[in-house]
Amino acid sequence: MLRKLTFELLPIVYRCRLANTLKHNIKREYNGISSSTLHAEANNTLHVDEQLQEIFKFKDTKISNWIIENKAHALCISYTESNKDNRQWILCTLASRYAVQHNDICQVAKKLVCTEPENERQMIVHERALKNILTPAYHWLFVIIGRLQHGVKFLVDLRTDVLQLISEMKDPDESITVQQLNHTLRDLLLLWFSVGFLHMERITWESSCDILQKVSDYEAIHPMRNWLDLKRRVGPYRRCYIFTHPSMPREPIVVLHTALCDVIPDSVKGIEEAETRILGSAKKYITFLEEDKSKIKAAIFYSIVSTQKGLQGIELGNYLIKEVVSEITTEFPAIRQLSSLSPIPNFKTWLFDKLKQANFHLRNGAVMWRINWMADPSPRGVANSCGIMVNYRYI
């Protein structure tokens, strides 16, 4: 009875959206989804809507933050347990119902315009009011969630869902409110993931197993073949560094793999050949303490991966490279060359469709130094960039 009454009290636009959601779910029933599942999904949608309304009632009140945070935590659980359709409904509801109120903005703006500039006190009052009213209500909710344990990770994943929703929306007018939601989330994450909050950590074979597993799983440019391959990439004459965030412990944010060579190699195989030249024997095993620092003349950044889709558009890789450069040039004073060995992103697509692709390294001050034909002959390398890789020189 309570849920039925709650539905009747919803504004007509949201009742229509709920009806459309239920209609969509009914269509799915013919594809084998049970009626009990559909009923549970509909109830979950109503429950989340009630949670949202209850939480936002506390905005601008003096109620204990502990109470609000508990309710926000329950909302996060409900969202996480929702299916894709219900999640998208929640995001659309947040983006529209709890966005800025344009009429209120116009009223405050008129008051500001009508105030004499000499009346500084009144100007400041109206400016503060305008600033507050230009901030959407869901910004307040995101800040509350960000204070929860694992709340920042939740928001990063939430933005992943927002970006996916935007990519699936065909009508620009329909997506404009969701895009504003995305901008608000991005600005918050940009603030929380500033470089001062990030911690650089070197990964070795002695690092914890869960971190090593994630480093292996996240590697997208040169996938790990096995544990021996991973051991080599974090062993002597290699360096692996990650960025972590205090609100996302034991979760690599960015992973950078570096090879220590005598010259700048022109292929993936060239990295292994440089290691063989330095060691004198391909099978010789040494420890980090036995590395011959006098032979290391070049540092090659051959793989950098941003692991969180929800941090798209927030540049972190360039900061990690800068910190790693400082670290390895201190450890190996003979290094005179810093370079990447990079696939040309989507070169095959560019070649066939004549599309220009933006490049990470060029944006960060490097120059294209050498193009290497068939530098990565692996199936992935050929499929992605016809095996071509590029050296981008930093110095």
Side-chain angles (χ1 to χ4, degrees):
M1 179 65 183
L2 178 60
R3 294 195 184 279
K4 182 178 180 181
L5 181 61
T6 303
F7 182 82
E8 294 298 330
L9 290 175
L10 286 175
I12 184 65
V13 62
Y14 299 110
R15 278 189 275 161
C16 289
R17 286 180 180 170
L18 279 174
N20 287 335
T21 299
L22 293 174
K23 182 179 179 181
H24 177 69
N25 287 339
I26 289 172
K27 290 181 179 179
R28 290 167 55 198
E29 182 176 10
Y30 292 100
N31 294 326
I33 299 178
S34 66
S35 59
S36 60
T37 301
L38 295 175
H39 182 70
E41 290 178 3
N43 282 343
N44 182 66
T45 302
L46 286 170
H47 178 57
V48 172
D49 187 73
E50 292 169 359
Q51 287 180 301
L52 284 171
Q53 293 186 57
E54 186 176 13
I55 289 173
F56 279 101
K57 283 194 305 184
F58 297 133
K59 187 176 182 295
D60 299 324
T61 67
K62 295 183 179 180
I63 195 167
S64 168
N65 282 337
W66 180 81
I67 295 176
I68 299 175
E69 289 172 3
N70 276 343
K71 293 187 179 298
H73 180 258
L75 175 66
C76 293
I77 293 175
S78 297
Y79 180 88
T80 303
E81 294 176 348
S82 298
N83 61 24
K84 179 181 176 181
D85 289 339
N86 285 344
R87 286 187 181 192
Q88 292 191 343
W89 182 88
I90 294 168
L91 293 175
C92 288
T93 301
L94 270 176
S96 56
R97 187 193 300 174
Y98 302 104
V100 296
Q101 303 301 312
H102 302 302
N103 291 336
D104 294 343
I105 292 173
C106 291
Q107 291 177 10
V108 175
K110 287 178 182 177
K111 292 180 181 179
L112 179 62
V113 171
C114 294
T115 302
E116 293 294 333
E118 292 78 13
N119 190 346
E120 186 174 4
R121 186 178 186 280
Q122 199 62 35
M123 286 286 290
I124 291 175
V125 169
H126 291 321
E127 287 167 353
R128 285 178 179 173
L130 186 60
K131 178 182 177 182
N132 290 336
I133 210 164
L134 283 170
T135 304
Y138 49 68
H139 178 277
W140 169 80
L141 176 61
F142 294 156
V143 172
I144 295 293
I145 293 175
R147 295 203 295 255
L148 303 176
Q149 186 177 15
H150 308 303
V152 172
K153 172 60 174 170
F154 174 85
L155 292 175
V156 171
D157 294 338
L158 184 75
R159 185 164 182 253
T160 301
D161 292 344
V162 171
L163 292 172
Q164 181 178 359
L165 175 59
I166 292 174
S167 70
E168 295 175 2
M169 300 178 88
K170 306 299 182 183
D171 185 358
D173 293 333
E174 180 187 7
S175 66
I176 189 67
T177 55
V178 182
Q179 289 176 9
Q180 184 57 46
L181 179 77
N182 174 48
H183 292 325
T184 300
L185 258 178
R186 183 200 60 195
D187 291 345
L188 273 174
L189 294 174
L190 185 63
L191 180 65
W192 292 340
F193 282 85
S194 62
V195 68
F197 295 131
L198 300 176
H199 171 67
M200 186 179 77
E201 179 182 346
R202 179 179 166 187
I203 304 301
T204 69
W205 190 242
E206 283 69 41
S207 299
S208 61
C209 288
D210 63 318
I211 297 294
L212 285 169
Q213 183 66 57
K214 289 177 181 178
V215 167
S216 174
D217 292 342
Y218 285 137
E219 177 54 41
I221 300 176
H222 306 290
M224 306 284 181
R225 295 187 292 271
N226 48 47
W227 280 96
L228 288 177
D229 188 16
L230 173 60
K231 184 176 182 180
R232 182 171 65 253
R233 297 195 201 188
V234 297
Y237 295 110
R238 302 286 184 99
R239 293 294 185 269
C240 177
Y241 290 92
I242 65 173
F243 260 158
T244 59
H245 190 278
S247 295
M248 295 172 59
R250 313 195 68 75
E251 182 66 42
I253 306 298
V254 187
V255 182
L256 175 65
H257 288 277
T258 305
L260 304 173
C261 304
D262 52 350
V263 296
I264 296 179
D266 59 5
S267 66
V268 174
K269 186 178 180 181
I271 293 177
E272 298 175 357
E273 292 172 347
E275 189 173 324
T276 300
R277 285 195 303 271
I278 294 172
L279 289 172
S281 171
K283 297 183 179 180
K284 182 180 178 182
Y285 177 78
I286 64 169
T287 66
F288 289 113
L289 295 176
E290 297 173 303
E291 291 173 329
D292 189 343
K293 296 185 177 183
S294 65
K295 294 182 179 180
I296 306 303
K297 308 294 184 181
I300 312 302
F301 311 121
Y302 64 91
S303 175
I304 184 166
V305 178
S306 295
T307 66
Q308 308 295 313
K309 293 181 180 179
L311 295 178
Q312 178 181 314
I314 301 175
E315 289 287 356
L316 299 175
N318 56 335
Y319 292 110
L320 180 56
I321 287 178
K322 290 174 182 177
E323 291 201 22
V324 169
V325 166
S326 176
E327 186 87 4
I328 62 177
T329 52
T330 300
E331 185 179 4
F332 298 94
I335 287 180
R336 292 294 179 267
Q337 295 177 312
L338 301 169
S339 173
S340 76
L341 182 62
S342 309
I344 302 176
N346 299 312
F347 176 74
K348 192 173 182 179
T349 302
W350 174 86
L351 185 63
F352 294 151
D353 300 336
K354 298 182 180 180
L355 297 176
K356 292 184 178 180
Q357 301 291 328
N359 187 276
F360 169 83
H361 297 284
L362 292 178
R363 293 201 308 270
N364 290 307
V367 295
M368 186 182 291
W369 184 64
R370 183 170 62 195
I371 299 176
N372 307 298
W373 172 251
M374 291 306 290
D376 184 5
S378 68
R380 183 185 180 90
V382 172
N384 184 49
S385 59
C386 295
I388 298 175
M389 300 189 78
V390 177
N391 293 116
Y392 293 99
R393 283 282 297 272
Y394 283 82
I395 60 172

